Amino acid sequence: MTSLTPKPSQIESWDRLPSDWHNDERMDALFAFFKDRDLNPVHYDAKMKFWSETIINYCEDHGLLQIDIPTIVSRFRRKGKTSKCLDKIFEELIKQNRLISTSDYTYSQQSSWVSWTFNKLASPLTSWMSTKTPIDQEVFIIKELVDKKAQQVIETLQSNVYVPTFDCVISFSSFIDICRRCALFDENSINLIISALIRDKKILIDYIGDTKNVKVVKFVAPGTSNVRPITEIENSVLLLRHSKERLEEQLKKSDQQIEGLLTDIRRHLKNSNRTAAMKLLRKKKILEREHDKKESTVEHLNTVLTQIEQTDCSSLVINAYSSGVQAHKELLRKNGLTPDAVEDMIDEVHDMLDTQNELDEALSRPVVNDTTDMTELETELEELLNQPIPPTVTTPVPSNKEIITTSITDEAIKTPEQDPFADLELRLQKLGVQESTPHKVADIASSSH
């Protein structure tokens, strides 16, 4: 059986080569047959994960969307040794639905692309379509990589769109170039991507021109979910671009022919063969006139295409303005914003402010209910002002004797315990008795007893 990729690449040059690849002891264990999982489940799962992820990553980096065991065996040789456990790895990947046989993948697709694409895809693989094909002879498709690469191709195509009306249609050869830029190198992988994109309605393939001899690919425009049929405007623009490209190719050939004639003319002149040089010179002049005409036509086509693109851009601007106006109107309508509504709202605001001012004024008034007549108060105040002012009573200044008596009295009040008759003596002094003897005091005291 012939492998899908008969030219094996050097695994050592792979950027994502696992670090364990250079560990002899580790790789001897990984290259050996699988043992029963019950004996060592940790080692079994680690080995399964190593090979599964390594194979998928390698296929992704090298643009391989379909693989078989012989291809992987040839790619992953190490020091003359090959892995003895790949059949077990493939069985596990099939159980996980990460690998799908070519026949199963074919039957799962829509008939819209099977009719034309898979005939080309499966033509070299018809011997593998039997369901009884041994696993080491079956070709498997890595569905997760097909979907991932298909999305990458669409994103690359959409990144080159500047005018959606025209730029979403390209020649089939340009589409193949985009696929190769996405690391899709073999024809089978490219056909798988085409099939997946047609199935998901992301691209369509058609022919344009009077004789339908120009193969083009239209892809889904940015911001949309499905591709639409080619319109008359797109068809016209495509024909203009195709004509311009053909003229540019002819101009390149004319330049090469003119350069060749100049070389021959110089050679004939060097050999003194003026007749041959003159004949070639006339031919050169004819080619130059044709070259100038084609060059002028190319410039005219560029001008037309530029004007069409400008018209489309102007249309986009007008549509954007229209959408903005409609959105603004809808927003005003939804929120009930009209000139009359705004005027009514302003009037309500003024009324509310007037009401608030009245409330503030009412709240500033005193709460106590004072019923006093202000006229009576004014009359009484006037009478008080007209009454005569009473004379001021002056306090007489005490004499020295009184000051002494007062001081004595104060002293006696302060110290009654020292002299029991001090209070009596003070009273006699106040009654007018000027002199008092101890005998009199004693008599008064005895009489009091």
Side-chain angles (χ1 to χ4, degrees):
M1 173 184 170
T2 305
S3 172
L4 288 175
T5 52
K7 293 179 70 175
S9 61
Q10 293 296 327
I11 187 68
E12 287 77 9
S13 61
W14 182 31
D15 293 337
R16 286 202 283 175
L17 183 66
S19 58
D20 291 339
W21 190 263
H22 303 290
N23 186 332
D24 293 338
E25 183 179 355
R26 173 68 172 155
M27 292 311 299
D28 287 342
L30 291 173
F31 269 57
F33 288 101
F34 269 100
K35 296 181 181 180
D36 191 354
R37 187 177 184 278
D38 295 336
L39 298 176
N40 192 340
V42 175
H43 175 74
Y44 184 97
D45 293 341
K47 184 175 180 178
M48 185 67 70
K49 181 179 180 180
F50 171 86
W51 279 111
S52 300
E53 299 303 323
T54 301
I55 291 172
I56 298 297
N57 291 338
Y58 180 85
C59 292
E60 179 181 1
D61 292 349
H62 292 80
L64 301 177
L65 304 183
Q66 48 189 344
I67 57 174
D68 55 12
I69 292 180
T71 299
I72 299 302
V73 169
S74 64
R75 294 295 180 99
F76 286 90
R77 288 184 178 274
R78 183 181 183 278
K79 296 184 177 181
K81 297 180 180 180
T82 58
S83 177
K84 307 298 183 183
C85 60
L86 291 180
D87 54 345
K88 196 73 173 179
I89 300 295
F90 272 60
E91 288 176 2
E92 183 63 26
L93 291 174
I94 293 170
K95 288 180 182 179
Q96 297 174 2
N97 289 324
R98 301 182 74 179
L99 292 184
I100 304 176
S101 67
T102 305
S103 56
D104 291 341
Y105 189 82
T106 303
Y107 299 143
S108 67
Q109 306 306 302
Q110 298 177 1
S111 59
S112 59
W113 63 271
V114 173
S115 59
W116 70 274
T117 303
F118 199 76
N119 288 333
K120 186 175 182 180
L121 170 67
S123 57
L125 310 177
T126 53
S127 61
W128 308 328
M129 297 296 291
S130 174
T131 56
K132 298 180 180 180
T133 305
I135 191 172
D136 60 343
Q137 297 180 13
E138 179 66 275
V139 177
F140 298 95
I141 294 172
I142 312 173
K143 186 179 181 301
E144 62 188 84
L145 292 187
V146 172
D147 296 339
K148 187 174 182 179
K149 283 294 182 181
Q151 182 62 29
Q152 183 183 357
V153 169
I154 285 295
E155 291 176 354
T156 304
L157 290 169
Q158 292 179 343
S159 66
N160 297 321
V161 173
Y162 299 99
V163 184
T165 307
F166 317 120
D167 291 344
C168 291
V169 185
I170 60 175
S171 64
F172 187 79
S173 60
S174 298
F175 176 81
I176 297 300
D177 291 338
I178 295 294
C179 290
R180 299 194 186 282
R181 284 169 51 188
C182 296
L184 297 169
F185 305 111
D186 64 282
E187 185 178 359
N188 287 334
S189 295
I190 293 176
N191 286 332
L192 278 172
I193 293 300
I194 293 173
S195 302
L197 292 175
I198 292 177
R199 175 201 65 200
D200 297 336
K201 298 180 181 180
K202 300 301 181 182
I203 67 169
L204 61 85
I205 298 177
D206 204 349
Y207 294 86
I208 63 171
D210 297 334
T211 59
K212 299 293 183 181
N213 59 342
V214 181
K215 191 176 183 180
V216 296
V217 176
K218 182 175 182 180
F219 55 90
V220 61
T224 59
S225 57
N226 296 326
V227 65
R228 297 179 180 178
I230 298 176
T231 63
E232 290 295 330
I233 297 177
E234 290 174 331
N235 186 72
S236 300
V237 172
L238 283 171
L239 290 175
L240 284 174
R241 289 178 173 174
H242 179 66
S243 300
K244 184 175 76 75
E245 291 173 358
R246 289 186 61 187
L247 286 173
E248 288 174 345
E249 292 177 359
Q250 293 176 8
L251 286 174
K252 291 179 181 179
K253 292 180 180 179
S254 296
D255 289 336
Q256 295 174 358
Q257 290 176 354
I258 291 172
E259 287 295 329
L261 289 173
L262 283 174
T263 301
D264 292 340
I265 291 171
R266 294 189 186 97
R267 179 171 53 80
H268 288 308
L269 290 175
K270 187 176 181 180
N271 296 330
S272 301
N273 190 350
R274 296 179 62 83
T275 302
M278 186 64 69
K279 187 183 294 185
L280 293 178
L281 186 59
R282 290 193 187 97
K283 187 175 181 180
K284 171 180 168 296
K285 291 294 183 182
I286 295 173
L287 286 175
E288 287 177 343
R289 285 195 295 269
E290 292 296 326
H291 182 279
D292 292 341
K293 289 180 182 180
K294 292 176 181 178
E295 197 170 40
S296 177
T297 303
V298 169
E299 291 178 0
H300 179 69
L301 290 176
N302 281 328
T303 302
V304 172
L305 288 171
T306 301
Q307 291 175 348
I308 292 174
E309 291 176 358
Q310 286 297 117
T311 302
D312 184 75
C313 291
S314 300
S315 176
L316 290 176
V317 172
I318 295 300
N319 291 335
Y321 284 156
S322 177
S323 299
V325 170
Q326 293 299 325
H328 194 188
K329 288 181 178 179
E330 180 64 21
L331 188 61
L332 291 176
R333 185 196 63 78
K334 184 178 180 181
N335 293 280
L337 295 175
T338 62
D340 293 338
V342 173
E343 289 292 340
D344 293 341
M345 180 57 64
I346 295 299
D347 292 339
E348 291 183 8
V349 171
H350 287 307
D351 293 342
M352 183 270 294
L353 292 176
D354 293 339
T355 303
Q356 185 63 42
N357 290 334
E358 293 177 1
L359 291 174
D360 293 341
E361 184 178 353
L363 291 173
S364 65
R365 296 171 186 170
V367 179
V368 179
N369 187 13
D370 191 358
T371 60
T372 305
D373 189 356
M374 296 301 296
T375 305
E376 294 180 1
L377 293 177
E378 291 289 342
T379 304
E380 185 176 353
L381 182 62
E382 191 67 26
E383 292 177 356
L384 291 174
L385 290 174
N386 293 331
Q387 290 180 359
I389 300 173
T392 304
V393 179
T394 58
T395 303
V397 179
S399 60
N400 293 336
K401 183 178 179 180
E402 291 175 345
I403 294 173
I404 295 172
T405 304
T406 304
S407 61
I408 294 173
T409 303
D410 292 339
E411 183 179 358
I413 292 173
K414 290 180 181 178
T415 57
E417 324 54 11
Q418 297 176 0
D419 188 359
F421 300 103
D423 184 48
L424 181 60
E425 186 176 357
L426 288 174
R427 279 190 246 171
L428 291 174
Q429 290 180 1
K430 289 182 179 180
L431 291 175
V433 181
Q434 298 296 329
E435 293 180 359
S436 60
T437 60
H439 297 287
K440 292 179 179 180
V441 173
D443 292 338
I444 292 171
S446 61
S447 62
S448 62
H449 286 292

